Amino acid sequence: MRRDRDSEKPARPYIRPANKPRSNPKPRPAEVAAAQKRGRAEFLSIHNVSRETLERLDRYVALLTEWQTRMNLVAPATIGDVWSRHIADSLALERLLPEAAVCVDLGSGAGLPGLVIAAARPAVSVDLVEANSKKIAFLRAVQRDLGLPGTAHAARIEDCDAVLAKADIVTARALASLTELFALVAPHIRADTRCFFQKGRNHEQEINAATAHWRFSMIQHESSLDDGSVVLEIDEIAPR
């Protein structure tokens, strides 16, 4: 009797399909609170801020944490590290800023660095530009709660020419490439307006790309918080 060749093949072992990677669960409130408490203590061991500034920063962190439960203002995994990841980073930029009457923060999002600048310098009018309506609601709530001067503008940057025209300082944190930022701000700011842009590890490529289309003066401030990150202080921006 002819036997089926397939019947002579050994049976293949059953292999359970690999589980799909799970997304990181949102941290629990107790975990967030504990992490923030540790982060605040470490922050205060390194940074010297006034009692009034610390009170405003504490209130900002409390509001950010509360609103974060309803919307993603920052990456969920970073809310526990808000002091080291966001506050310290924004405060490092604030300490580079010259004296000014009006600061305009572009693409403010969760108010970083704009609201931290305002908390540290309550005499400065900090205008916040943000197109997302939900985030604008948060920014305005913080401004009201902390009694901070300035306006939160629910608008795209390209529609804020009048806002930018008043700026002594313009800030932006990881918002867009230098070439894009120059195109957005250069037509509207004054000749003496100074821009402070926080950039990551690819900043050299951005600088090289921007020099092909723009002339500008620049001071590069190294970040003490994140290797490879910088704050670019820029003025005298003009097209080639």
Side-chain angles (χ1 to χ4, degrees), residues 89 92-94 96-97 172 195-199 203 218-223 229-234:
D89 190 40
L93 180 145
E94 181 273 329
L96 296 173
L97 303 181
C195 299
F196 291 79
F197 298 143
Q198 290 176 290
K199 290 292 180 182
H203 59 273
M218 182 182 72
I219 299 173
Q220 184 169 304
H221 302 276
E222 300 296 329
S223 171
S229 296
V230 297
V231 175
L232 302 180
E233 178 182 348
I234 298 171

Side-chain angles (χ1 to χ4, degrees), residues 145-159:
D145 192 289
L146 273 62
L148 300 173
T151 303
H153 302 272
R156 296 174 64 84
I157 298 169
E158 52 265 39
D159 298 325

